[in-house]
Amino acid sequence: MLAVIGGSGMAQLSCLEISHREIIRTPYGEPSGPFTFGRINNQEIVFLARHGHGHTIPPHQVNYRANIWALKTLQPEHVIAVAAVGGIRDYMSPGSLAVPDQIIDYTYGRDFTFFDSRDEPVTHIDFTRPYTPETRVLILKAARQAGKTIIDGGVYAATQGPRLETAAEINRLDRDGADIVGMTGMPETALAREQGLNYATLAVVANFAAGRGNNVEGVPLKEIYAILDQAMVHVRNILEHVVNCYGDQNGT
Ligand code: HPA
C-alpha cells in the first residue's frame, strides 16, 4: 500500500476511488482526521489530509506524532508527503514541483520525537539523508513518465509559521543553503524516519518567498491558493503515475 499525506491545497485526493474511512486512535492523541482508503488504478492507497478535512489545523498544531504513528500501523511501503512551499531561488518559481533531498529544522515547541521516554534506552537515528532515496526516485520517475518538469533535489527550510517569513529571515535561510521554505516538513520527516517509514516530499511551490521574485513588497496570499489549485492537477497526475511505477516494480 502507498500512503499520501496531503498538504495545503490538497484536503482530498479526487482521483481516489474511496472504499472506506477509518479513525485510528494513537497513544499520542488524535491524528489530523480519518484515514481515507481507496484505489488508484487498482493499487491500494491511504490518504490523510495533514491540516484536517476542512483545512482547520495550522502547521504548528498538527499532531505529527499521531499522524505518523497511525500511518506506521498501516505499514505502507512508501509515504509521499505533498507540501506547499515558498521558493527562495529564482528557479523555484510559483507552480514548480520539487523533490527535496535535504531539510533544515527551524521549528520550535513541537512534539518532535517518539524517543523521549525515561523508561527506554536513549535512541538516536541516522538522519544524514532525511528522505528515503527509493521514495524520492519513485516520485521523480513518475513525474517524468507523466511528462512533468520536476526539480530533483533542494534544501527544505522548515519554519514555525503560521505567519510567513520576513525578507531578512528568507535571506538568512538563503545563506544557510535553503532553496524552499515550508511550515510542515518538520518534525514530520524526522518522525517518519524514527518509525522506519519510507518517506519523501513532493513540494509544490506556491509563491516566491518573502522579498524574492516579484514579492519585494509582500507575498500575495490570495494568489497562493490559485497557484496551488493549478499545481494540484499536476500533482494528482504524478500520483497516478507513482501508483503505476510502483505497480510495475512490484508486478501488481
Ligand atoms: N513560507 C513558508 N511556508 C510556505 C510558504 C512560504 O513562503 N509558501 C507556502 N508555504
Side-chain angles (χ1 to χ4, degrees):
M1 185 172 58
L2 297 174
V4 176
I5 304 177
S8 290
M10 192 182 238
Q12 56 197 21
L13 198 53
S14 56
C15 48
L16 192 63
E17 291 164 47
I18 298 172
S19 64
H20 64 287
R21 292 199 166 84
E22 203 175 306
I23 292 170
I24 301 178
R25 309 217 176 276
T26 88
Y28 302 97
E30 300 229 339
S32 297
F35 287 76
T36 306
F37 292 79
R39 288 182 173 270
I40 298 178
N41 298 343
N42 227 21
Q43 290 286 342
E44 256 198 296
I45 306 285
V46 59
F47 175 79
L48 176 69
R50 185 186 287 115
H51 299 285
H53 194 59
H55 201 261
T56 52
I57 310 171
H60 62 291
Q61 281 178 4
V62 170
N63 191 340
Y64 296 96
R65 290 201 299 185
N67 288 351
I68 293 295
W69 193 93
L71 269 179
K72 173 70 179 179
T73 65
L74 303 171
Q75 304 209 303
E77 273 81 17
H78 296 277
V79 180
I80 295 164
V82 181
V85 297
I88 298 175
R89 311 262 166 242
D90 289 350
Y91 60 86
M92 292 289 190
S93 54
S96 304
L97 302 170
V99 182
D101 60 353
Q102 282 295 331
I103 191 162
I104 304 175
D105 190 3
Y106 300 91
T107 67
Y108 48 87
R110 302 182 181 189
D111 287 324
F112 60 91
T113 181
F114 291 106
F115 300 136
D116 56 359
S117 162
R118 291 233 177 173
D119 305 327
E120 282 161 32
V122 174
T123 308
H124 302 287
I125 53 160
D126 175 40
F127 206 42
T128 312
R129 305 239 165 258
Y131 299 102
T132 306
E134 291 79 7
T135 312
R136 292 190 63 254
V137 167
L138 190 63
I139 302 171
L140 290 165
K141 256 193 186 167
R144 284 181 197 128
Q145 275 189 16
K148 311 284 179 200
T149 306
I150 193 156
I151 299 161
D152 178 359
V155 178
Y156 177 124
T159 54
Q160 178 70 358
R163 66 167 176 84
L164 296 180
E165 299 71 30
T166 66
E169 285 170 334
I170 293 298
N171 289 339
R172 172 194 172 205
L173 301 184
D174 185 350
R175 288 192 299 275
D176 283 356
D179 302 304
I180 49 180
V181 54
M183 300 172 190
T184 56
M186 288 296 256
E188 192 174 273
T189 310
L191 292 168
R193 176 61 53 82
E194 285 189 354
Q195 289 296 340
L197 290 166
N198 293 322
Y199 174 103
T201 291
L202 170 51
V204 183
V205 182
N207 56 283
F208 272 119
R212 297 295 157 118
N214 45 1
N215 292 346
V216 175
E217 293 304 324
V219 178
L221 290 164
K222 276 195 193 130
E223 282 172 28
I224 290 187
Y225 284 97
I227 294 280
L228 283 178
D229 260 5
Q230 290 164 19
M232 284 310 156
V233 177
H234 303 297
V235 169
R236 274 193 286 276
N237 198 234
I238 291 173
L239 291 175
E240 282 170 356
H241 280 81
V242 164
V243 166
N244 293 342
C245 288
Y246 171 72
D248 289 348
Q249 273 173 23
N250 293 276
T252 51

